[in-house]
Amino acid sequence: MTYVTLGGVTVGICILAYHVISWWPGAKALRGKPGPHLGRLLPFLLAWAYGCLTILGVGGLIGWTARAARWISSWLGDVALVWGVGGDTGQSASRTTYLPLTQTGLAVVLILTVAVIAAAKKSRYGRDIKLGAWCGICLGTSAGVAGFAAVPLAQAVNWLGTTVFGAVA
């Protein structure tokens, strides 16, 4: 298992900061009509949740792709920390335990993968979806607040899988 490093978490937070700053409509606009502005965040947030899920012990091609993206992000972040600001790479910034996905939860992640790929290709929010998934992969197993979001996500997907596939079986 590859762990996210301080550099990988930094990359994830940079993606999040870039997206929020690009999205920010201004305080006046948010006070006036917040619905449409907050709605523009939804594709990023949903993709972020998907990215968190793919890194939670998902195997096969989806898990390998997520782990490769996390490894590359950690490497890039570590290089940026060392060569960009003269810092050090730091230790692993991962949580050591997390809630694994059940078989039915993994089936839901497979279904979500198809939906995310289709949405990224066909939607006008394709860029937001890709950035959200990348951010979720970087932050999904981090030891900070974003890592704690992975547990309720895993519980929700496991419940959904049990509910949907329990009704089918």
Side-chain angles (χ1 to χ4, degrees), residues 87-107:
D88 196 8
T89 59
Q91 298 295 320
S92 170
S94 294
R95 296 182 67 184
T96 54
T97 59
Y98 53 86
L99 182 68
L101 296 172
T102 61
Q103 284 299 105
T104 55
L106 291 171

Side-chain angles (χ1 to χ4, degrees), residues 22-35:
S22 298
W23 162 82
W24 183 252
K28 184 177 179 181
L30 281 176
R31 280 192 296 264
K33 285 190 170 185

Side-chain angles (χ1 to χ4, degrees), residues 31-111:
R31 280 192 296 264
K33 285 190 170 185
H37 298 295
L38 293 175
R40 284 188 20 231
L41 273 181
L42 197 58
F44 180 86
L45 292 176
L46 291 174
W48 181 86
Y50 167 77
C52 286
L53 288 170
T54 61
I55 210 68
L56 291 177
V58 175
L61 185 59
I62 296 168
W64 180 84
T65 304
R67 286 189 303 277
R70 182 177 56 190
W71 177 81
I72 291 167
S73 298
S74 290
W75 183 83
L76 288 171
D78 289 343
V79 167
L81 286 173
V82 171
W83 293 97
V85 294
D88 196 8
T89 59
Q91 298 295 320
S92 170
S94 294
R95 296 182 67 184
T96 54
T97 59
Y98 53 86
L99 182 68
L101 296 172
T102 61
Q103 284 299 105
T104 55
L106 291 171
V108 171
V109 171
L110 179 61
I111 294 165

Side-chain angles (χ1 to χ4, degrees), residues 2-6 9 89-96 141 143:
T2 60
Y3 295 101
V4 66
T5 64
L6 179 62
V9 172
T89 59
Q91 298 295 320
S92 170
S94 294
R95 296 182 67 184
T96 54
T141 57

